[in-house]
Amino acid sequence: MQLKWIKRNKYKIIAFIIGLYVVADVVMHKGLTRVMLPKNFPAYKIDNSFPENKNVLLNTDKNWVIGIDTKEMMNKVLIESSGIEIDVYFDLKKNIFDVHHDADNSTGLNLESQLAIYKQRGLKASIWIDLKNLDDSNCSSAATVLSDLRTKYDLTNKVLVESKRADLLKVFSDSGFFTSYYTPMFNPYSISDDEIKHWVDSLSLIITISKVNALSGYYFQYPFLHHYFPNYPILTWAPRDKFSLVNYFSRKKISGKKEIFILL
C-alpha cells in the first residue's frame, strides 16, 4: 500500500525534497543569498577620483586559485591558470618572505622556493602576494626583495601586492607593482546607515591619500566597495561548495560583474 502511494506521488515527493534542499541551501548560505539580491546604499557625496598610478597586472581570467601556500599546491596549479594567491610574511632578519597563512604557523617555506617551482613548471600565472605583516619597519626592505624576485623570475606586470596598510603600499606602487588595499572587515548588510557613512568616510580618507590600484574585500563587501568607489577594480573571495546551488550561482554572478577584477 505504501509503495503504491509513493509511486502515485513520486513527483510530489521529488518536488518536496528539492524544495527542502533549496530552503536548507539558502539558510546555510544566507550571506551569499543576500549578495545575489540588489542592495540600496545611502547616497553620500565623496571623492570618486581614479587611482593615482597606472601600474599593470596581466590577467586573462578573473577566477584565480587561492592559498598556494605549499609546494604540493604549487605543483598542482594548472598550466593555464591566470593567477594564484600566496600568503606571505616578510622576515626582516632573514630578508625573505615566509609562506604561510596564519601568523603562528610558519612551515619554513619561503617565497623563492615557490617561485622556483613556478619557473620549473613553466607557469605563466600572475601572482597575488597577500603581505600580512607589512609595517613601517619592513616595507622598504620587502619592496626591494620582491623587486629582485620579480626580475629573477621574469614576473614583470605579474605581481599584485595586497596589504591592510594602504599608506605603506606606496613604496610598492612606486616600484611598479600593482597594489590593492585590503579593507577592514565589516558587513554592509548588517550595519546601520550611520555606520555605513562612517566606513565610507574612513575608507575615502585612506584611499584618496594612497596610490593603490584596487580594493580587496570579502564577497559581501564588494557591492559596497563598488558603489562608493566605482573607479577602483575589486578583488574578492567567496566560499566554494560544490554541493550548493546558491554557492554556484552566487559565484557565477560575482564573477560576471565587470567591476570584479579577481575572484578567489
Side-chain angles (χ1 to χ4, degrees):
M1 190 73 171
Q2 189 175 21
L3 290 177
K4 289 182 178 179
W5 182 89
I6 292 174
K7 188 174 181 180
R8 284 199 311 269
N9 295 277
K10 61 181 178 181
Y11 295 114
K12 291 182 180 179
I13 294 172
I14 292 171
F16 175 77
I17 292 172
I18 292 174
L20 192 62
Y21 163 77
V22 170
V23 170
D25 196 17
V26 168
V27 171
M28 291 177 62
H29 299 90
K30 58 184 179 181
L32 288 167
T33 303
R34 282 188 299 192
V35 172
M36 294 176 69
L37 302 174
K39 165 75 174 176
N40 293 320
F41 291 103
Y44 299 126
K45 185 175 177 59
I46 61 173
D47 179 7
N48 279 325
S49 57
F50 286 88
E52 282 192 23
N53 75 74
K54 304 298 180 183
N55 295 342
V56 174
L57 180 72
L58 297 177
N59 185 16
T60 58
D61 183 342
K62 65 179 65 178
N63 292 284
W64 286 28
V65 186
I66 192 171
I68 305 302
D69 295 341
T70 65
K71 291 182 178 180
E72 291 76 18
M73 294 191 72
M74 182 63 83
N75 277 308
K76 291 180 180 178
V77 173
L78 299 178
I79 295 297
E80 64 270 22
S81 291
S82 176
I84 59 176
E85 184 252 6
I86 303 177
D87 301 296
V88 306
Y89 293 78
F90 187 71
D91 187 325
L92 188 58
K93 292 182 178 179
K94 296 180 181 179
N95 219 34
I96 61 171
F97 290 95
D98 278 327
V99 176
H100 54 100
H101 185 275
D102 300 325
D104 57 352
N105 194 27
S106 176
T107 62
L109 179 64
N110 66 71
L111 181 59
E112 184 157 14
S113 296
Q114 288 292 74
L115 294 179
I117 298 173
Y118 172 100
K119 182 177 181 179
Q120 184 270 328
R121 294 194 60 220
L123 297 175
K124 303 298 181 183
S126 290
I127 303 173
W128 173 338
I129 300 294
D130 182 352
L131 183 44
K132 293 184 171 297
N133 70 330
L134 185 64
D135 60 30
D136 297 89
S137 69
N138 65 23
C139 61
S140 294
S141 297
T144 297
V145 172
L146 194 58
S147 294
D148 290 342
L149 291 173
R150 176 179 58 186
T151 300
K152 181 175 180 179
Y153 291 95
D154 192 22
L155 296 173
T156 300
N157 296 333
K158 288 186 176 182
V159 179
L160 179 166
V161 183
E162 178 199 48
S163 173
K164 295 180 179 180
R165 290 290 302 272
D167 56 328
L168 299 182
L169 284 172
K170 180 179 183 299
V171 65
F172 292 91
S173 297
D174 290 342
S175 297
F177 290 102
F178 189 94
T179 57
S180 183
Y181 171 40
Y182 184 173
T183 58
M185 212 298 286
F186 63 94
N187 189 339
Y189 291 88
S190 61
I191 58 179
S192 68
D193 286 357
D194 286 341
E195 290 174 300
I196 285 179
K197 187 177 187 305
H198 161 76
W199 283 113
V200 171
D201 292 340
S202 176
L203 295 178
S204 181
L205 178 62
I206 294 170
I207 292 167
T208 53
I209 61 175
S210 72
K211 297 180 68 176
V212 297
N213 296 95
L215 304 176
S216 308
Y218 289 86
Y219 70 90
F220 49 80
Q221 292 178 299
Y222 96 80
F224 169 95
L225 294 174
H226 176 64
H227 179 81
Y228 290 109
F229 308 100
N231 295 324
Y232 284 78
I234 306 299
L235 283 55
T236 192
W237 46 93
R240 293 175 181 269
D241 183 350
K242 62 182 180 180
F243 299 110
S244 167
L245 287 174
V246 170
N247 188 267
Y248 171 80
F249 285 114
S250 61
R251 284 190 63 93
K252 188 175 181 64
K253 179 180 179 179
I254 294 170
S255 180
K257 294 292 185 179
K258 63 180 181 180
E259 62 266 22
I260 300 297
F261 187 51
I262 298 173
L263 171 61
L264 295 176

